[in-house]
Amino acid sequence: MPASRRAGGIENLMFTLHIEHTIGDYDQWKRMFDSDPLNRRAAGVAAFRVLRTVADPNAVWIDLDFEARADAEAMKTALERMWAGPAAAMVHGPTARLSENVETITL
């Protein structure tokens, strides 16, 4: 399996599902996110980051890290179903892109 270098050693290849969308009420959205409706751990999420843009605090980016590409692809499908259904009123213009981490260097 390919690996990426980091300070102190080698780290396994990871896949990141990068999500971007706009929300109307961050606190309401965050409560929904924290309720974990798709059970991130069981779905294979190894780590995640939630970011808000400085220019627009209602623009939210989420990075979900996975060890297995199939888990990331399954999560993307589940998110698309959720965005079309229960989250449609809260999340606007959602996009999700899958990438693989080919190199991480910690300085």
Side-chain angles (χ1 to χ4, degrees):
M1 172 180 282
S4 60
R5 298 249 341 132
R6 69 174 180 174
I10 301 288
E11 121 186 346
N12 289 335
L13 182 68
M14 295 286 277
F15 297 90
T16 298
L17 188 59
H18 177 78
I19 301 155
E20 294 184 17
H21 51 59
T22 303
I23 45 93
D25 179 331
Y26 179 81
D27 293 331
Q28 179 184 10
W29 173 87
K30 186 69 164 82
R31 281 191 298 277
M32 185 271 307
F33 181 83
D34 289 344
S35 76
D36 198 7
L38 298 177
N39 195 352
R40 288 182 288 269
R41 183 182 300 255
V45 176
F48 67 86
R49 289 166 298 289
V50 176
L51 303 99
R52 293 168 76 179
T53 67
V54 174
D56 180 1
N58 289 327
V60 178
W61 299 345
I62 303 105
D63 288 332
L64 304 174
D65 294 333
F66 297 83
E67 292 181 10
R69 180 178 176 168
D71 289 342
E73 290 170 340
M75 176 61 84
K76 183 176 184 289
T77 299
L79 283 165
E80 288 168 346
R81 278 194 300 262
M82 187 175 74
W83 293 333
M90 186 181 304
V91 175
H92 310 286
T95 62
R97 289 183 297 277
L98 181 58
S99 62
E100 67 180 13
N101 180 356
V102 295
E103 183 174 53
T104 297
I105 300 173
T106 304
L107 303 176

